[in-house]
Amino acid sequence: MTDGTTSAVDTAPAGESALARLEREGDIAADYLEGLLDIADLDGDIDMDVEGDRALVSIVGEGDDRTLQRLVGQDGEVLEALQELTRLAVHRETGERSRLMLDVAGFRARKRAELAELGADAAERVKSTGEQVKLRPMTPFERKVVHDAVAAAGLRSESEGEEPQRCVVVLPA
């Protein structure tokens, strides 16, 4: 920039490792979420981690998680929106697209376990019948978890259809 200002991209450390970049994303997200919790007058702690190629940020309750359920919403709809807002906050600071994953009160962790079981069960049905199995429409996060579970069971799966009716099809070997 020629007017003497700098952008967040200009301030990113040169040669920053992937781990350092993801940890920085987590820090930015945590700051954003702490501000949001203050505005909403909600109590919660922020936990950060890095898994694979994405930062994981969790808001955990201090005892009773029911107060945080407002940040999850019905079927995680509020959580999805909050995740997108948090990704935008990270993008604003870094100038880079974030794949950050947000969890609130363990909702996504529980959902991940349920979906992994669904994927493993579908894989077993395909193995026993030799017929493909088409699952209900899912969000991108849900499909990713199911695809991973199917692959871990030694089978192949594909996504088919258009959003929001996109679903996973588990295929025989």
Side-chain angles (χ1 to χ4, degrees), residues 75-151:
D75 296 324
E77 290 174 346
V78 175
L79 174 57
E80 289 291 331
L82 184 56
Q83 176 176 279
E84 286 307 308
L85 290 172
T86 305
R87 286 176 174 177
L88 287 171
V90 170
H91 181 265
R92 184 185 67 226
E93 291 292 320
T94 65
E96 296 178 12
R97 182 179 177 275
S98 173
R99 296 187 62 235
L100 175 132
M101 184 69 68
L102 177 64
D103 193 3
V104 174
F107 175 83
R108 235 186 253 281
R110 287 187 301 277
K111 189 80 163 172
R112 183 182 298 242
E114 291 169 12
L115 291 165
E117 186 175 336
L118 175 68
D121 290 348
E124 285 305 312
R125 278 195 315 252
V126 169
K127 285 179 181 178
S128 67
T129 66
E131 299 289 322
Q132 74 179 24
V133 171
K134 184 175 182 176
L135 301 174
R136 66 173 171 74
M138 299 179 192
T139 67
F141 162 75
E142 293 170 329
R143 290 193 310 269
K144 167 82 168 91
V145 174
V146 172
H147 285 305
D148 289 348
V150 169

Side-chain angles (χ1 to χ4, degrees), residues 29 33-34 36-37 42-48 57-62 65 68 71-72 79 82 86 102-107:
L33 292 166
E34 284 173 358
L36 182 107
L37 289 174
L42 295 173
D43 291 327
D45 292 326
I46 309 289
D47 288 341
M48 294 179 296
V57 179
S58 300
I59 301 174
V60 292
E62 298 170 343
D65 283 343
L68 292 178
L71 297 178
V72 173
L79 174 57
L82 184 56
T86 305
L102 177 64
D103 193 3
V104 174
F107 175 83

